[in-house]
């Protein structure tokens, strides 16, 4: 079976599932998206890995795993989303130590959070993308607003017969009223309080004004 490389398109908050987020993966050489529902902690960890400028004062679980792996010279080579059963994605982490390769079973959200920290590629099989991949259509207004923005606004995602409505978690209406200096102060406070979800939103708002 052929592998298809994926990249992260964005993370959005689910309105229908409390505390759940939708991670949107995009095939590198195509337009199909692979939506995966993940938890708040995993969404936060992935968002921090994407936001290079946000540095937690203490390592998160995935950061700790990365530090542990570096100390013992374990390298994550790639992540493969290899199975889809009843709407649940299963993944494997391909690791290497002393030129010996090992395959470790992992939740997809954890596997992707680690792949980002190791700069490892993410793949899935073409059969999975054929089954669960979707095309997201935007209105002309949404296309203009998101032209240079990595965040994604999705009205609804159809996955395994279940509709999951999500909205953009990139920014908050209230942040638009703040000055750039106030945004930086709020960002510092959010990081100090380890509120990384808020920090990611503030970082996105700051980036839009650069």
């Amino acid at each position: 079976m052929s592998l298809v490389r994926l990249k992260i398109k964005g993370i959005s908050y689910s309105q229908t599932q409390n505390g759940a987020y939708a991670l949107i993966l995009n095939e590198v050489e195509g337009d199909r998206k692979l939506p995966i529902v993940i938890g708040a902690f995993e969404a936060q960890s992935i968002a921090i890995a994407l936001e290079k400028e946000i540095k937690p004062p203490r390592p998160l679980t995935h950061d700790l795993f990365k530090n542990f792996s570096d100390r013992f010279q374990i390298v994550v080579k790639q992540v493969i989303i290899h199975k889809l059963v009843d709407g649940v994605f299963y993944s494997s982490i391909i690791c290497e130590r002393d030129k010996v390769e090992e395959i470790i079973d992992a939740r997809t959200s954890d596997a992707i959070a680690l792949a980002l920290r190791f700069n490892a590629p993410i793949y899935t099989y073409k059969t999975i993308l054929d089954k669960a991949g979707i095309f997201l259509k935007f209105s002309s207004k949404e296309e203009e607003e998101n032209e240079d923005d990595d965040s994604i606004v999705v009205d609804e995602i159809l996955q395994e017969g279940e509709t999951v409505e999500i909205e953009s978690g990139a920014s908050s209406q209230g942040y638009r009223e703040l000055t750039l200096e106030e945004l930086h102060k709020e960002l510092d406070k959010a990081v100090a309080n380890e509120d990384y979800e808020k920090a990611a939103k503030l970082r996105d708002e700051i980036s839009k004004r650069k």
Side-chain angles (χ1 to χ4, degrees), residues 31-56:
D31 298 321
R32 286 178 297 180
K33 275 74 176 174
L34 192 66
I36 301 174
V37 176
I38 62 176
F41 173 77
E42 292 77 13
Q44 173 180 282
S45 183
I46 291 171
I48 288 173
L50 291 170
E51 296 280 349
K52 304 295 184 182
E53 297 180 38
I54 297 178
K55 302 295 182 184

Side-chain angles (χ1 to χ4, degrees), residues 30-31 49 51 56 58-59 61 68 71 75 85 89 107 115 117 122 126 135 144 150 189 202:
D31 298 321
E51 296 280 349
R58 297 181 297 173
T61 303
F68 181 89
R71 183 66 60 89
V75 179
V85 179
F89 292 90
R107 295 189 307 169
R117 286 162 170 80
I122 302 165
K126 183 179 180 298
F135 290 94
E144 291 174 4
D150 286 337
K189 288 181 184 178
L202 286 162

Side-chain angles (χ1 to χ4, degrees), residues 87-100:
V88 178
F89 292 90
Y90 294 78
S91 294
S92 294
I93 300 174
I94 314 302
C95 302
E96 185 179 277
R97 180 173 183 268
D98 294 334
K99 297 183 179 181
V100 176

Side-chain angles (χ1 to χ4, degrees), residues 62-77:
H62 297 111
D63 297 320
L64 178 60
F65 185 93
K66 174 65 164 59
N67 295 338
F68 181 89
S69 299
D70 288 345
R71 183 66 60 89
F72 291 95
Q73 300 179 327
I74 301 169
V75 179
V76 171
K77 305 294 290 185

